[in-house]
């Protein structure tokens, strides 16, 4: 097992390179930007549809009002995604351009929207009214939205990089000059989309968006099969197990299918048909990742209530609340589960077993698949029942999944528990009690209202996450750090998902406040940082995002601020020691 993990670990640089790919990152960040639309619209969908299960139907005027809000948000999801993906892709393209000759992302967003509409919608004209056909403006048009965004970004970069633009005299204000500078790339984009649309429709008789769906439908169908589901979610868990953020690699490839299948399920259900799609966002949030990646909900209860090892019980008690809300980094890194050979098999195969059970219930027992999306932090059992519309079979399936996960994890849990008990038997009870108390305290400190739940991810990630980025050296505890060194400074901490970064940001803020230092800190996810950079003096990358250092350096060079990446042990040490964290920031700012 250790040899297998070592082989997989050697591929970590390659996996990190995939995660950093600008096309995949643009899809991921663009899709994340429109998640509020999906969740918001699903609220109205739930209110409108769920009461039907018990025979209650809203009056027509109320029902129409509820669905209007759903259709006017979810119905234009692809339009919004074309814009957000174009924005993030333009940010990535700008890293390769001089800071005084950048792509105007707003113009790029507008061009992507128009290009997408040309490729995806037919004009409807009658004597009474005219408008757009909305068939492919929602989830069905997501793939075309990504294509429109990428084509737009590539065209803009071609013209801006070569200065093929309308140039105005120096006396013209910059905002006016920028408008004229965008004319040529904008016009070329729209012309390319317009001509392509005419040629494509003439050749095939339908719009490009419909053609894209037809081409990718076999892949969507294969992904919804047993082998496809196993590959997708086995890979996601495998990447996480070796310390690479799995969703960053896997989700961009299936993002369109997750939403489109959910929409198809809802349409089928409303038409009185079987909602048969398995690969949906709800299935990923609440069935595959029940208790976080690796389906660790049952495992944390084992740690908390069944472990004989005092250390495992301490970890379980500290991690049980966040894991219930799908934030399992405290368990993954504090136990640890990541890079722990004992848990390799259940961590990778429990999610596969869960999604297969869901598919069996849908294919053979006639249960409808997920039709509604809830926030990913909703506890897995609750999200499963609500996302499946309170179907009676959903309760049976949930119980079976919990039993199967228990059976898969229990033998490995017992083996690890015995291993830890043997280790604890070799040290005195006093030392053991002190060690466990310290570990539990460090984990609990992250949940005292100063950091969001996910910020515990850094808990012991240090021991497992190995980034390829250069390592910054922490300064020794600097009692001589003066307020004048840091007063008025601003520090931004970035991680993969916006949670782990809160650990260091909160530690810095607390230490600065206690010492009367005017230091402003903030935490966010990498990908949301581009527009924030001018407001900060130093940007710190947490261990999970350290592989993005090269890209971040390009971003920071454009605005003239500094950046640094931390590795695991160093990051945890800084998060737990106020003096060292302040000294570290002072040292980086002085370079």
């Amino acid at each position: 097992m250790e040899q297998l993990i070592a082989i997989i670990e050697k591929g970590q640089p390659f996996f990190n390179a995939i995660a950093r790919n600008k096309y995949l990152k643009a899809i991921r960040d663009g899709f994340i930007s429109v998640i509020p639309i999906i969740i918001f619209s699903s609220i109205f969908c739930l209110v409108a549809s769920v009461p039907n299960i018990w025979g209650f139907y809203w009056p027509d005027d109320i029902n129409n009002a509820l669905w209007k809000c759903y259709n006017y948000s979810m119905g234009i999801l692809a339009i919004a995604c074309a814009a957000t993906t174009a924005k993030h892709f333009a940010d990535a393209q700008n890293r390769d351009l001089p800071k005084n000759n950048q792509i105007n992302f707003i113009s790029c967003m507008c061009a992507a929207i128009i290009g997408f509409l040309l490729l995806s919608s037919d004009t409807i004209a009658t004597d009474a009214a005219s408008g757009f056909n909305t068939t492919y403006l929602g989830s069905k048009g997501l793939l075309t939205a990504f294509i429109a965004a990428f084509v737009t970004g590539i065209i803009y970069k071609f013209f801006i990089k070569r200065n093929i633009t309308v140039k105005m005299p120096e006396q013209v204000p910059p905002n006016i000059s920028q408008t004229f500078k965008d004319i040529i790339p904008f016009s070329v984009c729209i012309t390319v989309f317009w001509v392509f649309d005419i040629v494509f429709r003439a050749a095939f008789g339908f719009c490009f968006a419909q053609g894209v769906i037809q081409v990718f439908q076999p892949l969507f169908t294969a992904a919804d099969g047993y082998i496809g589901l196993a590959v997708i979610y086995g890979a996601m868990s495998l990447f996480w197990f070796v310390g690479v953020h799995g969703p960053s690699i896997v989700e961009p490839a299936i993002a369109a299918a997750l939403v489109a299948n959910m929409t198809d399920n809802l349409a089928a259900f409303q038409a009185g048909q079987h909602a048969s799609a398995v690969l949906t966002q709800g299935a990923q949030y609440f069935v595959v990742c029940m208790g976080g990646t690796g389906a660790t909900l049952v495992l944390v209860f084992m740690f908390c209530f069944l472990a004989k090892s005092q250390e495992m019980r301490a970890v379980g008690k500290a991690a049980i609340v966040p894991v219930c809300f799908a934030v399992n980094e405290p368990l993954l890194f504090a136990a640890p589960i990541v890079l722990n050979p004992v848990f390799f098999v259940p961590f990778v195969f429990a999610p596969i077993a869960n999604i297969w059970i869901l598919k069996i219930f849908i294919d053979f027992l006639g249960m409808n698949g997920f039709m509604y999306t809830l926030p990913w932090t909703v506890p897995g059992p609750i999200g499963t029942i609500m996302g499946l519309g309170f179907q009676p079979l959903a309760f049976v399936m949930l119980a079976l999944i919990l039993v199967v996960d228990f059976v898969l994890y229990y033998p490995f849990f017992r083996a690890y528990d015995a291993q830890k008990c043997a280790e604890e038997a070799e040290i005195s009870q006093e030392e053991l009690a002190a060690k466990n108390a310290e570990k539990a305290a460090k984990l609990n400190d992250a949940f005292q209202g100063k950091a969001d739940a996910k910020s515990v991810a850094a808990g012991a990630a240090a021991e497992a996450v190995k980034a390829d980025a250069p390592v910054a050296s922490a300064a020794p505890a600097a009692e001589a750090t003066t307020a004048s060194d840091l007063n008025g400074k601003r520090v931004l901490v970035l991680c993969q998902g916006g949670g782990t970064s809160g650990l260091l940001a909160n530690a810095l803020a607390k230490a600065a406040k206690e010492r009367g230092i005017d230091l402003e800190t903030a935490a966010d996810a990498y990908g949301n940082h581009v527009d924030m950079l001018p407001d900060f003096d130093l940007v710190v990358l947490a261990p999970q995002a350290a592989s993005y250092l090269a890209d971040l350096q390009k971003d920071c060079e454009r605005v003239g601020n500094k950046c640094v990446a931390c590795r695991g042990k160093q990051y945890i040490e800084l998060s737990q020691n106020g003096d060292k964290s302040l000294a570290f920031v002072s040292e980086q700012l002085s370079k």
Side-chain angles (χ1 to χ4, degrees):
M1 187 65 71
E2 288 83 354
Q3 292 178 345
L4 174 62
I5 294 173
I7 293 172
I8 297 172
E9 200 174 359
K10 288 180 180 178
Q12 193 177 62
F14 173 72
F15 300 143
N16 280 328
I18 295 176
R20 288 179 52 208
N21 180 274
K22 62 183 177 182
Y23 292 93
L24 294 180
K25 274 203 62 62
I27 290 175
R28 176 178 176 272
D29 294 338
F31 188 73
I32 288 175
S33 297
V34 300
I35 288 293
I37 295 177
I38 300 173
I39 294 176
F40 173 79
S41 62
S42 290
I43 295 173
F44 289 87
C45 185
L46 279 166
V47 174
S49 298
V50 170
N52 299 352
I53 298 171
W54 296 286
F56 175 82
Y57 294 87
W58 295 102
D60 288 344
D61 55 344
I62 297 178
N63 187 65
N64 292 337
L66 291 170
W67 284 112
K68 180 179 180 179
C69 196
Y70 175 84
N71 292 329
Y72 279 41
S73 51
M74 194 68 177
I76 61 166
L77 180 70
I79 298 178
C81 204
T84 56
T85 304
K87 193 273 180 189
H88 288 287
F89 188 59
D91 289 341
Q93 297 282 61
N94 278 334
R95 294 191 183 105
D96 301 325
L97 296 174
K99 62 181 180 181
N100 61 348
N101 188 33
Q102 298 274 289
I103 296 173
N104 179 0
F105 70 82
I106 295 179
S107 175
C108 200
M109 292 169 70
C110 294
I113 291 174
I114 296 172
F116 168 73
L117 289 172
L118 286 169
L119 298 178
S120 304
S121 185
D122 298 316
T123 301
I124 299 176
T126 64
D127 294 336
S130 62
F132 294 123
N133 184 326
T134 62
T135 302
Y136 297 101
L137 302 188
S139 60
K140 289 185 178 180
L142 283 174
L143 288 174
T144 304
F146 297 146
I147 294 171
F150 294 147
V151 172
T152 301
I154 291 170
I155 291 175
Y156 263 74
K157 182 180 179 180
F158 178 87
F159 285 91
I160 298 300
K161 183 178 181 179
R162 292 163 177 79
N163 283 312
I164 306 174
T165 60
V166 177
K167 300 175 180 63
M168 302 298 290
E170 295 181 0
Q171 294 80 5
V172 177
N175 58 329
I176 304 299
S177 295
Q178 182 65 58
T179 301
F180 282 91
K181 182 178 180 179
D182 295 333
I183 288 177
I184 292 181
F186 183 88
S187 301
V188 171
C189 278
I190 305 307
T191 303
V192 167
F193 286 124
W194 174 61
V195 171
F196 178 83
D197 178 62
I198 293 174
V199 173
F200 188 91
R201 289 175 189 270
F204 298 99
F206 48 79
C207 70
F208 178 71
Q210 182 178 342
V212 170
I213 289 293
Q214 292 179 4
V215 169
F216 281 91
Q217 191 59 52
L219 293 178
F220 287 171
T221 302
D224 211 49
Y226 290 96
I227 295 177
L229 293 168
V231 170
I232 290 169
Y233 292 115
M236 187 178 291
S237 297
L238 179 63
F239 290 138
W240 244 127
F241 187 81
V242 296
V244 179
H245 194 257
S248 296
I249 300 175
V250 177
E251 281 189 354
I254 61 172
L258 291 175
V259 181
N261 286 346
M262 183 187 68
T263 305
D264 290 344
N265 276 350
L266 180 61
F269 175 73
Q270 291 174 326
Q273 301 171 359
H274 183 211
S276 60
V278 178
L279 185 65
T280 58
Q281 206 161 45
Q284 179 173 309
Y285 284 169
F286 307 121
V287 175
V288 175
C289 298
M290 185 174 292
T293 303
T296 57
L297 182 63
V298 296
L299 182 61
V300 76
F301 280 89
M302 292 182 194
F303 269 66
C304 194
F305 299 109
L306 300 180
K308 296 178 181 178
S309 162
Q310 294 185 32
E311 179 181 346
M312 290 175 66
R313 286 206 172 199
V315 171
K317 290 177 182 178
I320 192 168
V321 173
V323 171
C324 286
F325 292 91
V327 182
N328 66 342
E329 285 88 347
L331 183 65
L332 295 185
F333 297 125
I337 306 299
V338 169
L339 289 175
N340 185 340
V342 175
F343 289 106
F344 175 80
V345 171
F347 188 80
V348 172
F349 288 98
I352 296 175
N354 289 1
I355 196 67
W356 279 4
I357 291 171
L358 172 64
K359 184 167 177 60
I360 289 171
F361 269 71
I362 292 174
D363 289 352
F364 296 103
L365 300 181
M367 186 178 75
N368 288 312
F370 277 85
M371 296 169 283
Y372 316 107
T373 297
L374 300 164
W376 63 269
T377 50
V378 172
I382 297 174
T384 298
I385 298 302
M386 294 185 66
L388 290 171
F390 295 91
Q391 299 173 77
L393 280 174
F395 292 88
V396 179
M397 184 202 70
L398 174 61
L400 179 59
I401 285 176
L402 293 174
V403 170
V404 169
D405 286 350
F406 182 90
V407 171
L408 282 172
Y409 268 109
Y410 187 74
F412 302 94
F413 159 76
R414 271 301 176 210
Y416 191 58
D417 190 30
Q419 178 182 321
K420 298 302 291 185
C421 286
E423 293 176 3
E424 292 171 3
E426 297 178 359
I427 62 177
S428 68
Q429 289 299 312
E430 293 78 9
E431 292 175 332
L432 179 61
K435 177 182 176 182
N436 293 334
E438 180 183 8
K439 193 166 191 175
K442 288 177 179 177
L443 285 170
N444 286 324
D445 283 346
F447 298 98
Q448 294 179 352
K450 302 183 180 69
D452 60 69
K454 203 170 183 179
S455 65
V456 286
E463 305 295 336
V465 178
K466 298 180 179 179
D468 296 316
V471 184
S473 59
E479 297 179 0
T481 299
T482 61
S484 60
D485 295 330
L486 299 175
N487 271 331
K489 300 296 183 181
R490 296 178 175 182
V491 179
L492 174 64
V493 187
L494 300 173
C495 68
Q496 190 70 56
T500 307
S501 51
L503 206 61
L504 180 56
N506 292 331
L508 283 167
K510 180 180 178 181
K513 182 177 180 180
E514 291 174 348
R515 293 155 181 77
I517 299 174
D518 180 20
L519 178 68
E520 183 177 336
T521 66
D524 212 319
Y526 183 88
N528 297 336
H529 66 285
V530 176
D531 298 329
M532 304 168 65
L533 288 181
D535 298 326
F536 293 90
D537 303 291
L538 174 67
V539 183
V540 181
L541 282 175
Q544 294 150 310
S547 59
Y548 298 124
L549 180 61
D551 292 336
L552 181 62
Q553 286 172 335
K554 293 180 181 179
D555 294 336
C556 290
E557 285 173 2
R558 296 205 312 267
V559 297
N561 54 17
K562 299 178 180 180
C563 62
V564 64
C566 294
R567 283 190 181 169
K569 289 184 179 180
Q570 176 193 30
Y571 189 83
I572 297 302
E573 184 179 41
L574 296 176
S575 300
Q576 295 170 353
N577 190 308
D579 286 324
K580 287 189 176 182
S581 63
L582 291 175
F584 172 79
V585 170
S586 179
E587 178 190 4
Q588 300 306 319
L589 289 171
S590 65
K591 289 184 177 179

